Amino acid sequence: MINVLMCTYNGEKYIRQQLDSIMAQTYRDFRLYIRDDGSTDSTMLIVDEYVKRFPEKVKVVSGASHLGYPDCFWDVLQKCESADYYAFSDQDDVWDEHKLEYAAEKMGDEARPVLYIHDYDNCDGELGLISRHCLGDVAVLDEMSILFYTYASGFCMVINNALRDLLLRQNLVGKAMYHDELCIWTAFFHGKILYDDRNLTKYRRHEATYTEYGNGVGTLVSNWLRREIFGDEFLLKCRRIRIFLSLKEIRPSEKRVCRSWLLLSGGRMTFARYFKRLCWGHRLRPSVGGEVALRIMFLMGRGR
């Protein structure tokens, strides 16, 4: 059994396409749990239509009117019934009809925590192809590369029950821990990450998203300045790292790794530690631009 977990908020424009793609899955042993986060449009009217059409498949999870991201995902992960696997879903994407089938085949019945990730297509609002996101090889994930860059997004992740149980024991609601980031960190250090190079989701970068995350150099620089230099995105990232290190059951078991992550997150900063962080010898982001931006933030002492 696979539980598909979807959080919705004012998604009336595209949600039917995503619901249809989920209901058309070749793997039929699944349930879809939907948690609305206080929509003010017709999202829940649409969801109710699918509940009536597929009463054995579609379940609505009740909860606080607006938890926001990421707590809405932790809430639905906690409240859904137990299953073998759990697949996270956005409200406005479109899945390949074989996605759940391929995930179940690849994950098997391992007892240890397992995270499955797949490649995907970046698309515009009409699902026209913009680019293909390809991880290439799970070997690119190491104890340093996963720290400041998230190689896979939640919508292309499936976790097994062992990983779900491990995460839920951390009481994550209210800790502002991103579900995709934490799944990667936890599975890397305490389980296994499986990679599927098939593109199994059309990730819709609709108008507002595409404008914000466009691929041009000018857009990338502008977003970096707005979100990390003048905004609090990098500061919050460093705080999430330190929260992760405080969770004894899922943090890295090697003290060496914990010390390195704490240093790079800006914790316990002295002049010697500032200099060591600034001159860190390991590549921390995959792109040259991203690495330069990170080193500039180290230079500025950001993250403390």
Side-chain angles (χ1 to χ4, degrees):
M1 173 66 72
I2 300 179
N3 285 347
V4 179
L5 310 178
M6 178 187 292
C7 293
T8 60
Y9 181 73
N10 290 348
E12 63 180 5
K13 186 173 182 179
Y14 299 116
I15 192 171
R16 287 185 188 277
Q17 285 182 289
Q18 175 65 325
L19 292 174
D20 287 342
S21 74
I22 293 172
M23 301 315 297
Q25 291 294 299
T26 56
Y27 185 94
R28 302 307 299 165
D29 190 17
F30 74 88
R31 293 180 297 244
L32 169 60
Y33 288 86
I34 301 175
R35 187 200 185 284
D36 188 68
D37 209 31
S39 294
T40 57
D41 64 1
S42 63
T43 296
M44 282 309 297
L45 293 176
I46 298 171
V47 169
D48 287 341
E49 291 179 21
Y50 284 80
V51 172
K52 293 174 182 176
R53 289 172 57 192
F54 307 98
E56 300 302 316
K57 291 289 187 187
V58 183
K59 313 292 182 181
V60 173
V61 175
S62 60
S65 60
H66 187 72
L67 281 178
Y69 176 81
D71 285 348
C72 54
F73 277 107
W74 297 128
D75 189 58
V76 71
L77 182 64
Q78 180 178 15
K79 290 179 177 177
C80 69
E81 295 181 28
S82 181
D84 300 302
Y85 317 108
Y86 306 81
F88 297 108
S89 170
D90 286 355
Q91 65 182 357
D92 51 5
D93 300 332
V94 173
W95 285 5
D96 182 280
E97 63 181 345
H98 300 288
K99 171 172 170 163
L100 296 182
E101 176 188 346
Y102 294 155
E105 287 177 354
K106 201 167 184 71
M107 296 179 77
D109 57 357
E110 289 205 40
R112 60 177 166 171
V114 174
L115 167 65
Y116 164 90
I117 59 178
H118 63 74
D119 287 335
Y120 59 91
D121 294 336
N122 289 305
C123 299
D124 59 26
E126 303 305 316
L127 297 182
L129 181 64
I130 298 172
S131 63
R132 287 208 158 100
H133 179 279
C134 299
L135 178 64
D137 192 334
V138 75
V140 304
L141 307 178
D142 62 42
E143 65 188 36
M144 289 290 109
S145 68
I146 62 174
L147 178 56
F148 285 110
Y149 188 80
T150 304
Y151 281 87
S153 298
F155 62 83
C156 60
M157 291 182 172
V158 183
I159 65 175
N160 70 349
N161 200 52
L163 183 52
R164 180 231 193 185
D165 288 347
L166 181 56
L167 291 168
L168 291 184
R169 289 199 296 271
Q170 312 311 310
N171 299 311
L172 293 165
V173 173
K175 290 185 170 72
M177 298 298 289
Y178 291 2
H179 69 299
D180 47 8
E181 188 175 73
L182 193 58
C183 284
I184 290 176
W185 290 348
T186 305
F188 180 84
F189 289 111
H190 299 284
K192 183 178 183 179
I193 299 177
L194 301 174
Y195 167 58
D196 191 332
D197 63 2
R198 289 171 286 205
N199 292 61
L200 301 178
T201 297
K202 294 184 183 297
Y203 168 53
R204 195 189 304 266
R205 299 170 69 173
H206 43 86
E207 291 81 4
T209 307
Y210 185 57
T211 299
E212 181 177 358
Y213 295 95
N215 294 323
V217 174
T219 301
L220 293 174
V221 172
S222 174
N223 286 338
W224 169 64
L225 290 171
R226 176 173 54 82
R227 293 159 49 198
E228 296 191 328
I229 295 297
F230 299 111
D232 59 2
E233 184 171 296
F234 184 68
L235 174 64
L236 295 176
K237 171 78 167 186
C238 290
R239 287 179 180 172
R240 293 197 302 275
I241 294 170
R242 294 195 288 270
I243 290 173
F244 175 63
L245 295 175
S246 74
L247 301 174
K248 295 181 180 180
E249 189 177 10
I250 62 172
R251 69 188 180 190
S253 56
E254 293 187 53
K255 292 182 178 180
R256 169 189 59 81
V257 179
C258 290
R259 287 194 295 266
S260 296
W261 279 39
L262 181 62
L263 170 72
L264 292 167
S265 71
R268 302 175 187 172
M269 194 59 63
T270 63
F271 178 77
R273 289 171 64 83
Y274 165 84
F275 187 76
K276 185 176 181 180
R277 183 195 196 205
L278 179 63
C279 300
W280 190 260
H282 193 289
R283 178 78 171 265
L284 297 170
R285 282 182 172 174
S287 70
V288 173
E291 184 73 11
V292 170
L294 183 63
R295 299 301 170 140
I296 292 174
M297 287 183 285
F298 286 175
L299 179 65
M300 297 173 63
R302 296 281 289 172
R304 289 180 289 178

